[in-house]
Amino acid sequence: QIEGEFIIEIGDFAVSYVSHVSFLFRSPQGTTVLTDPLFADGFIWNGHFESYLSPPDISIEEITRCDAIFITHIHGDHCDHHAIKNIHNRTQTRILAPDDVLESLHEFGISEEYLVHIEDGVEIKIDDVSLIPLSGYDNSFDEKGRPNKFSTIIKTSNTSLFYSGDCHSVPPGLKGKTVEAIFLWPHPDDEKLMAFSHNVDFAKFVLMHGDHFEPGDFLCNLDYSEQKDRVTKLLPGIEVIIPER
């Protein structure tokens, strides 16, 4: 967990916003899951360096407990190898990720015993928290033909949340499900964004994937206030939350 207060309370979970797409989810028993950490000053994207202009307000050393890190895919704004290794070395956390990510982390010096293979729809229990990884969307596979882009349902016995990572479309395994909240980037295509409300029952929409980068040649640099107004109009009756650090 992070020293200090958690920001968002949703059902059983206390949630702290770390950066860009990175959240800490804490259960009633204190089980802590970190998603897609990014603490670096930038990353390589399509052959150039994207400088991170709005990095976390906390230091990585302030994460004092972490029971699992869930990595959705290998893109640099979701998979910061140095941050993952730093957190793992201090907390001995397990890392749940697609196979290509696990292989890259093993080459980076993390022991295989802490690297957890994930499969679509196969539940992983971590004390009082369960994660159900979901793939099968966005037609995304690695060079070996394995799904390399995941999202996850994070749940306790009383509360279910959906963390999207980088979904451009609804994961098949999410359709027809009820969750208290979805953590989702506000896709610029209205129809793709509205597809989530057509296929999933949820009450809260937590914005993400909007931090500022330069030159910003990917989907980032969002004005969250504008996006909150847009999503509220598109999805009437849904509470749209801007995560505060």
Side-chain angles (χ1 to χ4, degrees):
Q1 65 190 56
I2 294 175
E3 297 293 348
E5 295 183 359
F6 282 70
I7 305 302
I8 308 169
E9 300 282 346
I10 305 177
D12 278 348
F13 286 99
V15 185
S16 180
Y17 183 46
V18 178
S19 65
H20 194 47
V21 289
S22 184
F23 293 84
L24 269 168
F25 298 85
R26 187 180 65 189
S27 77
Q29 292 182 18
T31 304
T32 303
V33 177
L34 175 67
T35 59
D36 287 352
L38 177 60
F39 286 83
D41 60 2
F43 68 102
I44 299 297
W45 177 254
N46 285 343
H48 68 274
F49 189 74
E50 287 280 354
S51 296
Y52 193 13
L53 305 181
S54 49
D57 296 329
I58 66 164
S59 70
I60 198 168
E61 287 74 23
E62 289 178 87
I63 298 179
T64 57
R65 174 176 176 175
C66 186
D67 298 290
I69 300 176
F70 186 88
I71 308 296
T72 59
H73 61 297
I74 205 164
H75 287 169
D77 59 327
H78 293 253
C79 184
D80 179 345
H81 284 61
H82 288 280
I84 295 165
K85 189 173 183 180
N86 182 310
I87 296 166
H88 167 73
N89 286 345
R90 289 184 294 103
T91 66
Q92 300 300 290
T93 185
R94 286 174 284 175
I95 300 148
L96 289 55
D99 289 333
D100 60 336
V101 173
L102 298 181
E103 290 162 2
S104 71
L105 290 172
H106 181 53
E107 291 175 2
F108 204 67
I110 298 177
S111 173
E112 286 185 333
E113 67 179 297
Y114 296 100
L115 302 176
V116 180
H117 167 78
I118 58 176
E119 295 182 32
D120 181 44
V122 178
E123 183 173 342
I124 298 170
K125 286 279 292 181
I126 303 169
D127 298 325
D128 61 330
V129 172
S130 292
L131 290 94
I132 304 174
L134 301 173
S135 64
Y137 60 89
D138 295 354
N139 196 33
S140 188
F141 303 90
D142 67 17
E143 59 185 15
K144 297 181 180 178
R146 302 170 299 187
N148 67 346
K149 197 174 182 185
F150 281 78
S151 55
T152 189
I153 294 171
I154 302 174
K155 69 187 187 79
T156 64
S157 58
N158 300 311
T159 303
S160 294
L161 309 175
F162 172 67
Y163 173 77
S164 66
D166 239 6
C167 289
H168 293 233
S169 57
V170 182
L174 186 65
K175 293 180 178 180
K177 294 287 195 301
T178 297
V179 295
E180 277 74 8
I182 62 172
F183 291 70
L184 185 69
W185 68 291
H187 198 293
D189 183 328
D190 289 353
E191 291 300 321
K192 287 189 174 183
L193 186 58
M194 292 172 66
F196 280 87
S197 68
H198 296 157
N199 288 280
V200 188
D201 182 14
F202 61 93
K204 300 177 188 292
F205 186 122
V206 182
L207 296 165
M208 64 177 207
H209 208 288
D211 276 3
H212 287 245
F213 296 80
E214 189 176 37
D217 289 337
F218 69 111
L219 293 161
C220 58
N221 295 359
L222 299 180
D223 182 320
Y224 277 146
S225 294
E226 289 181 359
Q227 292 301 321
K228 180 176 180 177
D229 290 344
R230 170 179 167 249
V231 175
T232 299
K233 290 176 182 176
L234 287 173
L235 309 179
I238 299 298
E239 179 186 357
V240 182
I241 298 171
I242 297 174
E244 301 290 345
R245 293 185 186 165

